[in-house]
């Protein structure tokens, strides 16, 4: 017998309560919201028509889990969506998952940053377009799938994101927006490939041609892709983008351009990186100086022996001067990366001998004294000296033997 109580809470009441729980953005609240949904279903099955859950009830439960922003939330959201699909497939009325349902679940995967996020989001995109759903994705859905690929760190992410951009371009009713291009660029920027950096630059140009103004983050992401390409021209390309940014450049922008020099194949990278630091229109931070030190430490050999010697001398002098700037700063202090990179600079730019060993011991001792010792620093020292010498240095600095 159907129950229609006018005294108890109805579906509107329960759904409003679920919405309040979803807004809390906690796993406990999401679990509670789903428990309310399950209770509504059970009461409805027992004959209480006043509490029959609506599509909104299910979508709010999906949203509650999506707001958790981790793998657990994404899995719970997809489980609820699968229940909705099962209800639809068995003929239960009013609970057919809609665009909001799929978009919310896809967004949950995008926010999870899980390695499978791209694959799961792509699967949901395919499911919503196939029978029996036959739903047409909107730009929000496409953007979320692209974002999921970018967050996944999957090596295929860039290509998959570009494929979705192509799908959007084929549509007559929607156009890619700023978020679309920025997300594709982010997905591509995960790959260390010269061709990828060219593609991100082309996408940046497409944005501007369409009248879309890139944000500082978008410019920085393109520069990072250029830096990761490791090409000999990476530094020049990054500086061109930095110049194009004008007043939008922040400290991350300059750090990324210096990183492009540090990772490039140029034997003059240290000099070029130093010039860039000196031209900064914002205050440098420790990352700025450490990145310049890395450019010095990774100075490659030049084809000409005389040029090689000159480049290494200049790089070492720049490194020493940069380290001194950090020490003289009122706001900065060397960290383990600073000390480790200075030791690496000694190993790569100085010939083996007493002077090199003396400086290695000096930087290591100061590192220990300033409580900056890390496994990475120890490994750098160990790589450049004999085992016996390494053990002596450990003992001199009051550290336990590793033999």
């Amino acid at each position: 017998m159907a129950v229609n109580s006018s005294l108890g809470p109805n579906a509107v009441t329960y759904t409003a309560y679920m919405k309040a729980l979803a807004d809390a953005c906690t796993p406990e609240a999401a679990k509670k919201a789903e428990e309310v949904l399950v209770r509504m279903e059970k009461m409805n099955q027992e004959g209480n028509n006043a509490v029959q859950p609506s599509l909104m009830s299910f979508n709010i439960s999906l949203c509650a889990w999506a707001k958790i922003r981790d793998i657990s939330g994404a899995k719970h959201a997809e489980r609820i969506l699968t229940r909705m699909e099962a209800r639809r497939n068995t003929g239960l009325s009013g609970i057919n998952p809609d665009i909001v349902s799929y978009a919310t679940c896809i967004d949950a995967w995008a926010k999870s940053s899980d390695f499978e996020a791209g694959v799961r989001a792509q699967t949901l995109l395919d499911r919503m377009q196939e029978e029996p759903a036959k739903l047409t994705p909107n730009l929000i859905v496409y953007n979320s799938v692209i974002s999921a690929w970018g967050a996944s760190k999957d090596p295929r992410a860039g290509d998959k994101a570009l494929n979705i951009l192509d799908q959007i371009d084929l549509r007559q009713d929607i156009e890619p927006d700023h978020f679309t291009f920025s997300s594709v660029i982010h997905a591509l920027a995960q790959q260390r490939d010269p061709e990828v950096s060219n593609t991100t630059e082309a996408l940046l140009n497409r944005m501007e041609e369409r009248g879309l103004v890139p944000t500082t983050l978008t410019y920085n992401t393109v520069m990072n892709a250029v830096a990761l390409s490791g090409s000999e021209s990476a530094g020049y390309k990054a500086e061109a983008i930095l110049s194009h940014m004008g007043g939008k450049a922040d400290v991350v922008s300059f750090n990324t351009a210096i990183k492009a020099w540090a990772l490039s194949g140029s034997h003059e990278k240290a000099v070029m990186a130093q010039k860039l630091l000196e031209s900064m229109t914002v205050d440098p931070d420790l990352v700025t100086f450490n990145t310049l030190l890395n450019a010095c430490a990774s100075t490659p050999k030049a084809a000409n022996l005389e040029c090689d010697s000159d480049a290494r001398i200049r790089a070492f002098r720049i490194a020493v001067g940069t380290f001194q700037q950090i020490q003289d700063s009122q706001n900065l202090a060397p960290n383990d990366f600073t000390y480790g990179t200075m030791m690496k600079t000694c190993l790569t730019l100085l010939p083996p001998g007493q002077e090199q060993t003396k400086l290695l011991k000096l930087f290591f001792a100061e590192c220990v004294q300033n409580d900056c010792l890390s496994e990475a620093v120890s490994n750098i020292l160990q790589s450049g000296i004999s085992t016996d010498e390494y053990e002596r240095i450990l003992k001199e600095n009051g550290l336990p033997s590793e033999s």
Side-chain angles (χ1 to χ4, degrees), residues 254-389:
F254 282 96
N255 291 350
T256 307
I258 293 172
K259 174 183 174 180
W261 278 114
L263 298 180
S264 75
S266 171
H267 66 276
E268 289 293 340
K269 61 169 71 178
V271 174
M272 300 303 291
Q274 183 189 41
K275 287 181 179 178
L276 187 53
L277 184 148
E278 291 172 346
S279 72
M280 287 180 68
T281 54
V282 295
D283 291 334
D285 58 14
L286 185 59
V287 174
T288 315
F289 290 108
N290 282 348
T291 308
L292 174 54
L293 287 177
N294 196 40
C296 297
S298 58
T299 298
K301 291 183 178 180
N304 182 289
L305 289 178
E306 185 176 345
C307 290
D308 178 53
S309 176
D310 290 344
R312 286 168 174 266
I313 291 171
R314 285 194 296 271
F316 186 74
R317 287 174 177 169
I318 291 170
V320 171
T322 302
F323 184 77
Q324 191 63 51
Q325 281 184 274
I326 299 172
Q327 288 190 312
D328 294 343
S329 171
Q330 299 294 317
N331 305 314
L332 304 175
N335 61 9
D336 65 321
F337 187 90
T338 313
Y339 288 112
T341 310
M342 279 305 299
M343 291 163 62
K344 193 184 297 182
T345 301
C346 294
L347 290 171
T348 57
L349 300 181
L350 296 178
Q354 291 184 349
E355 184 65 21
Q356 184 191 71
T357 303
K358 177 184 174 182
L359 288 173
L360 285 172
K361 292 170 70 174
L362 177 68
F363 287 123
F364 186 80
E366 187 175 322
C367 178
V368 173
Q369 183 180 352
N370 290 332
D371 198 25
C372 291
L373 184 61
S374 66
E375 183 179 353
V377 173
S378 296
N379 289 342
I380 291 169
L381 176 64
Q382 197 170 15
S383 69
I385 57 178
S386 67
T387 302
D388 289 343
E389 184 68 25

Side-chain angles (χ1 to χ4, degrees), residues 28 75 141 147-148 166 180 191 232 254-255 259 332 336 343 374 394-396:
E28 295 77 18
K75 286 182 175 180
V141 172
S147 181
D166 290 340
T180 313
Q191 302 170 226
E232 191 161 346
F254 282 96
N255 291 350
K259 174 183 174 180
L332 304 175
D336 65 321
M343 291 163 62
S374 66
L394 290 180
K395 186 177 181 180
E396 288 172 5

Side-chain angles (χ1 to χ4, degrees), residues 10 13 19 75 142 183 202 209 211 230 248 335-336 345 388:
N10 59 18
T13 312
K19 175 67 168 62
K75 286 182 175 180
Y142 282 126
S183 298
E209 288 168 2
K248 284 189 174 183
N335 61 9
D336 65 321
T345 301
D388 289 343

Side-chain angles (χ1 to χ4, degrees), residues 150-307:
S152 71
K153 307 298 188 294
D154 188 306
R156 302 169 297 169
D159 291 335
K160 295 293 185 179
L162 281 173
N163 287 339
I164 296 171
L165 178 60
D166 290 340
Q167 292 178 42
I168 297 171
D169 284 335
L170 290 173
R171 295 270 296 272
Q172 301 297 316
D173 55 333
I174 57 174
E175 290 186 355
D177 62 7
H178 174 273
F179 188 85
T180 313
F181 282 106
S182 297
S183 298
V184 174
I185 288 170
H186 173 73
L188 284 163
Q190 311 302 314
Q191 302 170 226
R192 291 173 175 256
D193 186 332
E195 287 304 313
V196 165
S197 72
N198 293 336
T199 304
T200 59
E201 290 180 84
L203 287 171
L204 185 66
N205 292 334
R206 278 181 63 184
M207 283 184 71
E208 295 180 321
E209 288 168 2
R210 291 176 178 237
L212 300 171
V213 181
T215 64
T216 298
L217 177 60
T218 303
Y219 281 118
N220 290 350
T221 305
V222 174
M223 275 199 291
N224 193 53
V226 171
L228 292 177
S229 73
S231 68
E232 191 161 346
S233 61
Y236 293 106
K237 285 186 175 183
E239 284 205 44
I241 296 170
L242 187 68
S243 176
H244 183 68
M245 290 176 71
K248 284 189 174 183
D250 60 9
V251 67
V252 176
S253 310
F254 282 96
N255 291 350
T256 307
I258 293 172
K259 174 183 174 180
W261 278 114
L263 298 180
S264 75
S266 171
H267 66 276
E268 289 293 340
K269 61 169 71 178
V271 174
M272 300 303 291
Q274 183 189 41
K275 287 181 179 178
L276 187 53
L277 184 148
E278 291 172 346
S279 72
M280 287 180 68
T281 54
V282 295
D283 291 334
D285 58 14
L286 185 59
V287 174
T288 315
F289 290 108
N290 282 348
T291 308
L292 174 54
L293 287 177
N294 196 40
C296 297
S298 58
T299 298
K301 291 183 178 180
N304 182 289
L305 289 178
E306 185 176 345
C307 290

